[in-house]
Amino acid sequence: MRYSATHKEETRQKLLESSGAIAKRGGFSSTGVDGLMKAIGLTGGAFYSHFPSKNDLFTAIVQRELSQSLIGHVARGDGFSRDKLERCLARYLSMAHLQNPDTGCAIPALGAEIARADISVREEAEHWMLQLQRAWADILEDGELAWALLSQCVGALVVARMLAREETQAEVLDASRGFLSQVLGQRLSEK
């Protein structure tokens, strides 16, 4: 059977999409190549016609996830403003985001694995994180505050996901949203 000229690229994109969701839900390193390929209906042997190694797949997942996330939208200059930043922070620190890691931000879900990954993966993550930090720094007129906000958001989501009870998770997210609102309010009054 002959495949279309675009079949290989379509399969690669399906693999990236599926693997990204699987990785964010249950971890990348804990899922084998066979499991990743089975999720899109192929055998493990077909994997190597798309990626030379599992590490190369992880690099591509990090690139795809971050470039298609808020980070990518900010990096492309999709009309990001202070108002949008505040709405984004509220959405990021929501129970819906907390409960759906496979469709949410890759950083809290994969950050620890990225930190242990090869340099190519970490460089890809750094590239996109710097794009976001610079965009937020432009809006806030403060690079250190931009890093602090990013860290607060990711950290709050990680801590909340670690907890067993939904009420406690909500407390963590509420406290973080309140803190960020207070910090941003102070910054506005200083200007």
Side-chain angles (χ1 to χ4, degrees), residues 80-166:
F80 211 66
S81 66
R82 186 179 199 102
D83 185 49
K84 283 186 179 181
L85 170 62
E86 290 176 12
R87 287 194 313 268
C88 163
L89 294 174
R91 208 168 39 248
Y92 193 93
L93 295 169
S94 70
M95 289 302 288
H97 188 211
L98 177 131
Q99 294 168 344
N100 297 290
D102 52 329
T103 59
C105 178
I107 299 301
L110 298 175
E113 286 188 87
I114 292 169
R116 291 187 299 268
D118 289 348
I119 189 74
S120 61
V121 176
R122 296 192 330 265
E123 286 173 341
E124 190 67 40
E126 182 176 343
H127 165 77
W128 291 103
M129 292 299 292
L130 284 169
Q131 297 290 319
L132 182 61
Q133 185 273 342
R134 288 175 185 143
W136 286 18
D138 286 346
I139 293 166
L140 300 167
E141 299 176 4
D142 186 335
E144 288 182 6
L145 179 59
W147 279 125
L149 289 179
L150 285 166
S151 300
Q152 175 68 35
C153 288
V154 171
L157 206 57
V158 169
V159 169
R161 283 182 179 162
M162 290 171 31
L163 304 173
R165 292 187 2 218
E166 195 169 299

